[in-house]
Amino acid sequence: MVTFDGRAPGTPAAAWSADPRFRDLPALALRRTGRTVVVAAHPDDETLGVGGILAELADAGCPAEVVIVSDGSASHPGSPTLDAEALAARRWAEVVEAVHVLSPASPVTLLGYPDGGLREVREAIDADLRALLADGAPVDQLVATWRGDGHRDHRIVGEVCAALADELGCTFLEYPIWMWHWATPDDPRVPWDQLRVVELADRSVVRKHRAVAAHATQVAPLSSDPTDAPTLHPAFLRTFDRDVEIVVSHEPARPTLAGEFFDATYDRHDDPWGYTDRWYEQRKRALTLAALPDDRYRDVLEVGCGIGVLTAELAQRADHLLAVDVSAAAVERARKRVVDLPQVHVQVADVADAVPAGSFDLVVLSEVGYYVDRPTLDRVLADLRARLAPGGTLVACHWRHPVEAYPLTGDEVHRVLRRTTDLTLLAEHREKDLLLDVYGDDPRSVAQRTGLA
């Protein structure tokens, strides 16, 4: 274990965010269905460590259950304002309020074991958690404080939950809290190879801010007495002021999907995604074409053209169209589809290796961003931006439902794009099934471009 004082600032948040390993953390395909149980050693662990994930699950319609193991009564020893019993009552009220902010439908269970003394009651904690997890539907995802966090209570809770997750055969995630305080990025105890990032929607970030503030006994002084000082230093709290949650995962990161994956898919079916016969696909193409701010484009790049159904429709508005796909089988079928369109050139290319040379007035990234991992997506988006001609347009359209094999979700792709691009968001369309965003180097609206405004 390590020695640290939560009232001290700890390692600056900027030291973590500046480390290239932090920026390149693989994305976690968070399970947003089924039963998730979040276990915290103390009231406030759930908010600091995975508050954004609680909000994300709530918005997905699968609110997690929250279990708080200790009563939190030892955070202010010797306080002249609140004795241990009163402090425990206050912290219980705070965690209920915080979870309600994050996920109003999440039930909160307080086991009430002595703060700082969980090692001595480990067997009882195991029995309580075992009974709770066995009550109801099977647990799909168990989330607990990280065993290596440097706090004895966190270690006990993490060890008990790890053993239970192994018995249940469910996904197990751990969340560090104090590691961000006592460690530095170069500390060998930081599990860089197991850290995963979960992108958060803006509304989840806002709710986490509010939930952290609800833990008033930990973030604000109880009185002017030194023993009533906040237990969490403001500089340390800034560590959790970010648009991602970071967890320890014991499953390998999902790598960028290679061309062989798609070739095998096309070997099994001529049109595996139903581009030609599904109304969903027809409607999505109509939405994409209608969202383009200009009537015609000189040079167009379509990334991930598949069998060329969208390609044929884009060609009607392009002088020159380069359509690329990683799958040789898809490219062969696309070429047959556009054989009578001389302005279209279709070729095998993997943008994860290199974006095709040229300058493009329109770049279309449709249903392809989630096939690559997070670091690769960052690089591809930067390369596509570099290929965009002055005044050009970039369109991104992606399926929102998670797919087990994909490194990212559609939502994550669009969040990364929104947070990294310098282009102006010209149009956005959001529905349960898909996201469609249009960005431009020319910020003018359609009416302004055509002289109507």
Side-chain angles (χ1 to χ4, degrees):
M1 305 303 284
V2 296
T3 301
F4 57 89
D5 179 5
R7 290 180 169 86
T11 302
W16 292 102
S17 60
D19 191 283
R21 290 168 294 185
F22 187 95
R23 297 195 301 270
D24 290 343
L25 286 174
L28 173 77
L30 180 68
R31 182 184 291 273
R32 298 169 190 260
T33 58
R35 183 185 180 194
T36 296
V37 179
V38 171
V39 183
H42 311 97
D44 77 357
D45 290 340
E46 80 300 324
T47 298
L48 295 173
V50 287
I53 288 177
L54 286 171
E56 291 285 314
L57 292 174
D59 286 348
C62 288
E65 302 165 40
V66 178
V67 181
I68 313 297
V69 177
S70 83
D71 60 8
S73 61
S75 66
H76 289 78
S79 167
T81 305
L82 294 173
D83 61 20
E85 183 178 358
L87 181 58
R90 180 78 67 84
R91 296 200 69 185
W92 167 240
E94 289 173 352
V95 75
V96 169
E97 178 185 353
V99 172
H100 182 76
V101 168
L102 295 165
S103 178
S106 286
V108 185
T109 301
L110 179 66
L111 299 185
Y113 287 105
D115 186 356
L118 299 189
R119 183 174 64 181
E120 292 73 18
V121 291
R122 178 175 183 144
E123 291 185 2
I125 294 171
D126 181 277
D128 279 353
L129 288 175
R130 187 180 299 274
L132 188 148
L133 298 177
D135 183 18
V139 177
D140 298 285
Q141 185 167 240
L142 184 60
V143 187
T145 47
W146 179 46
R147 287 165 284 180
D149 212 25
H151 190 295
R152 188 175 69 168
D153 283 355
H154 289 207
R155 175 176 62 83
I156 297 300
V157 169
E159 289 176 351
V160 169
C161 288
L164 290 172
D166 187 58
E167 290 180 23
L168 295 170
C170 65
T171 298
F172 181 54
L173 304 174
E174 299 176 86
Y175 53 96
I177 293 177
W178 291 112
M179 180 193 78
W180 308 113
H181 185 280
W182 54 258
T184 64
D186 291 328
D187 192 308
R189 291 166 291 187
V190 178
W192 283 111
D193 61 331
Q194 293 182 307
L195 294 182
R196 302 288 183 268
V197 64
V198 177
E199 299 279 347
L200 302 179
D202 291 344
R203 58 183 280 120
S204 297
V205 175
V206 171
R207 280 146 67 186
K208 182 171 180 176
H209 281 309
R210 292 171 52 205
V212 169
H215 290 283
T217 59
Q218 308 305 297
V219 302
L222 301 179
S223 74
S224 59
D225 190 284
T227 60
D228 279 345
T231 62
L232 302 173
H233 194 283
F236 175 52
L237 287 174
R238 283 196 286 275
T239 301
F240 305 98
D241 184 15
R242 53 196 178 202
D243 55 14
V244 297
E245 295 289 29
I246 298 175
V247 296
V248 178
S249 173
H250 304 279
E251 298 180 0
R254 293 172 184 169
T256 294
L257 296 177
E260 292 78 8
F261 171 87
F262 298 98
D263 283 335
T265 302
Y266 283 108
D267 283 344
R268 294 191 298 269
H269 200 292
D270 287 341
D271 183 9
W273 284 278
Y275 294 132
T276 58
D277 56 14
R278 287 178 177 161
W279 164 241
Y280 168 81
E281 294 293 340
Q282 181 182 336
R283 175 178 176 268
K284 182 182 65 179
R285 290 193 297 275
L287 287 170
T288 301
L289 292 163
L292 299 180
D294 292 312
D295 178 53
R296 192 157 189 85
Y297 295 88
R298 185 179 65 253
D299 294 293
V300 177
L301 172 64
E302 181 190 5
V303 179
C305 65
I307 61 174
V309 181
L310 177 60
T311 310
E313 298 187 31
L314 282 170
Q316 307 309 314
R317 295 172 63 177
D319 295 337
H320 307 283
L321 169 58
L322 173 59
V324 301
D325 199 283
V326 71
S327 168
V331 165
E332 181 182 356
R333 291 170 205 178
R335 285 173 175 164
K336 292 179 180 178
R337 187 175 301 278
V338 300
V339 66
D340 294 326
L341 300 173
Q343 73 271 40
V344 180
H345 178 64
V346 186
Q347 70 181 37
V348 177
D350 187 350
V351 295
D353 293 332
V355 171
S359 178
F360 302 98
D361 305 292
L362 172 64
V363 173
V364 178
L365 193 70
S366 182
E367 307 291 11
V368 70
Y370 39 52
Y371 295 139
V372 300
D373 59 33
R374 170 69 184 276
T376 303
L377 178 64
D378 287 339
R379 187 178 70 253
V380 168
L381 291 175
D383 290 347
L384 290 173
R385 175 65 181 94
R387 298 297 186 196
L388 195 67
T393 300
L394 185 149
V395 177
C397 183
H398 291 86
W399 174 252
R400 300 192 74 178
H401 302 285
V403 180
E404 189 70 22
Y406 299 172
L408 299 172
T409 66
D411 282 55
E412 288 165 341
V413 172
H414 283 248
R415 287 172 195 159
V416 171
L417 175 57
R418 185 164 297 202
R419 289 167 180 163
T420 58
T421 189
D422 65 336
L423 299 171
T424 300
L425 180 65
L426 301 176
E428 57 182 324
H429 177 83
R430 272 148 177 67
E431 57 182 76
K432 188 172 183 178
D433 297 326
L434 66 90
L435 297 172
L436 172 63
D437 287 329
V438 181
Y439 291 89
D441 189 49
D442 179 350
R444 295 177 300 164
S445 70
V446 174
Q448 290 170 330
R449 292 171 190 232
T450 56
L452 295 176

